[in-house]
Amino acid sequence: MNLKKVNFYQKKAQDFNFLTRLYQLYTIFVLLKPFIEFPFYNIKIESEFEPEKDKNYILAPNHISYLDVFFVNMAYGRKLAYIAKQELFKTQTWAQRYVAKNIYRLGAFALNREKVGLSTIKTVKEVFKAKYDLCIFPQGGIRKNRTIENINGGFIYFAKTNKVDIIPMGLTGFEEYNWKPFKKKDVTIKIGKPISWELDEKEILKQWCEQVSALTNYTNNQKFD
């Protein structure tokens, strides 16, 4: 893959295909489970979510580690595309090129958090056209302070413009990494109840914060004025 020629902001429906899902499953069952989960973590998954087969959703977890994308995929169990901050696709070093290439293969595309471009808006529509769900981290970046606050409302915009409900998800236990083999650390992933896209924007934000706070036992300091 020649990264210099890749438009990380835009994908078509055909880009979210069998190979994308196969790579996600490979990451989960060949890399994640035997080499990260098995030696280092006890993963507990709880869900109040019963998806409708022919319905699309936006999955909206809190964000506490670089492992979140992989474990979110494992816990959710449905085909997912991801919105990722554009900084992850910078390619100055070998490590950055490796990360960019692999998150792109996982179904990620870039977002300019300062100004959402038309290409990103179009790509979101292509995600749902391909029968994939969309994962967005409303916190905008990794936060380990166990507090729900300063939430970016972009996920609400995408839910309303595409008429899809939002699924809150709460992650706890990844706040500090564990690299002591076979001294496993407990991690909990909880999937909440759908929030209707038809609600008022403030009400959607309020319900997301309340659910994630309850799922994680984090303090909810989000302001709604």
Side-chain angles (χ1 to χ4, degrees), residues 11 16 24 55-61 72 76 78-84 106-111 120-138 154-162 164-169:
K11 285 185 173 183
F16 302 100
Q24 291 176 354
K55 189 173 181 178
N56 289 121
Y57 298 93
I58 287 178
L59 183 67
V72 161
Y76 189 58
R78 284 165 58 106
K79 297 182 293 185
L80 275 177
Y82 305 87
I83 288 185
L106 281 171
F109 56 98
L111 171 69
T120 302
I121 294 171
K122 288 182 177 179
T123 299
V124 171
K125 292 185 179 298
E126 293 292 305
V127 167
F128 297 129
K129 183 179 176 181
K131 306 300 182 185
Y132 270 62
D133 291 347
L134 180 66
C135 180
I136 305 176
F137 294 96
F155 72 112
I156 301 173
Y157 167 80
F158 288 120
K160 284 190 165 293
T161 54
N162 293 278
V164 296
D165 293 342
I166 295 166
I167 309 299
M169 176 182 275

Side-chain angles (χ1 to χ4, degrees), residues 132-158:
Y132 270 62
D133 291 347
L134 180 66
C135 180
I136 305 176
F137 294 96
Q139 291 173 309
I142 293 172
R143 302 195 198 171
K144 299 178 180 288
N145 62 355
R146 294 177 168 82
T147 303
I148 307 299
E149 59 186 352
N150 301 321
I151 303 304
N152 188 315
F155 72 112
I156 301 173
Y157 167 80
F158 288 120

Side-chain angles (χ1 to χ4, degrees), residues 1-222:
M1 180 187 295
N2 186 343
L3 296 179
K4 293 182 179 179
K5 295 182 179 181
V6 174
N7 180 356
F8 290 112
Y9 297 90
Q10 187 165 3
K11 285 185 173 183
K12 298 292 186 181
Q14 57 264 32
D15 295 319
F16 302 100
N17 52 36
F18 171 76
L19 291 177
T20 305
R21 184 57 178 161
L22 187 64
Y23 190 67
Q24 291 176 354
L25 294 173
Y26 167 82
T27 301
I28 292 169
F29 293 104
V30 179
L31 301 178
L32 185 69
K33 279 184 167 291
F35 295 108
I36 296 180
E37 180 189 4
F38 176 69
F40 299 109
Y41 296 99
N42 287 314
I43 308 294
K44 182 180 180 182
I45 300 170
E46 301 176 10
S47 181
E48 301 176 13
F49 172 58
E50 294 183 5
E52 296 181 30
K53 184 177 179 180
D54 297 322
K55 189 173 181 178
N56 289 121
Y57 298 93
I58 287 178
L59 183 67
N62 63 310
H63 199 6
I64 56 176
S65 81
Y66 288 108
L67 296 175
D68 292 349
V69 168
F70 306 103
F71 282 104
V72 161
N73 197 318
M74 182 183 76
Y76 189 58
R78 284 165 58 106
K79 297 182 293 185
L80 275 177
Y82 305 87
I83 288 185
K85 61 183 181 180
Q86 63 181 356
E87 290 79 7
L88 292 177
F89 295 95
K90 302 298 182 183
T91 58
Q92 288 87 349
T93 67
W94 177 89
Q96 288 171 330
R97 288 193 294 272
Y98 179 82
V99 169
K101 179 174 67 174
N102 283 280
I103 63 175
Y104 185 80
R105 285 177 173 172
L106 281 171
F109 56 98
L111 171 69
N112 182 340
R113 291 178 292 180
E114 301 298 322
K115 183 180 179 181
V116 179
L118 182 60
S119 58
T120 302
I121 294 171
K122 288 182 177 179
T123 299
V124 171
K125 292 185 179 298
E126 293 292 305
V127 167
F128 297 129
K129 183 179 176 181
K131 306 300 182 185
Y132 270 62
D133 291 347
L134 180 66
C135 180
I136 305 176
F137 294 96
Q139 291 173 309
I142 293 172
R143 302 195 198 171
K144 299 178 180 288
N145 62 355
R146 294 177 168 82
T147 303
I148 307 299
E149 59 186 352
N150 301 321
I151 303 304
N152 188 315
F155 72 112
I156 301 173
Y157 167 80
F158 288 120
K160 284 190 165 293
T161 54
N162 293 278
K163 299 181 179 180
V164 296
D165 293 342
I166 295 166
I167 309 299
M169 176 182 275
L171 309 174
T172 55
F174 290 129
E175 293 86 356
E176 292 84 27
Y177 298 107
N178 174 37
W179 300 121
K180 297 177 180 178
F182 305 108
K183 294 184 178 180
K184 293 188 175 185
K185 183 178 181 182
D186 291 333
V187 171
T188 302
I189 304 173
K190 297 182 179 181
I191 305 174
K193 298 177 182 178
I195 302 170
S196 173
W197 65 269
E198 298 181 273
L199 295 172
D200 175 81
E201 291 185 18
K202 186 180 290 187
E203 180 61 24
I204 292 175
L205 180 59
K206 181 173 180 290
Q207 287 195 22
W208 184 86
C209 291
E210 288 176 348
Q211 282 206 50
V212 173
S213 177
L215 293 169
T216 58
N217 289 321
Y218 288 177
T219 303
N220 182 5
N221 284 340
Q222 177 67 28

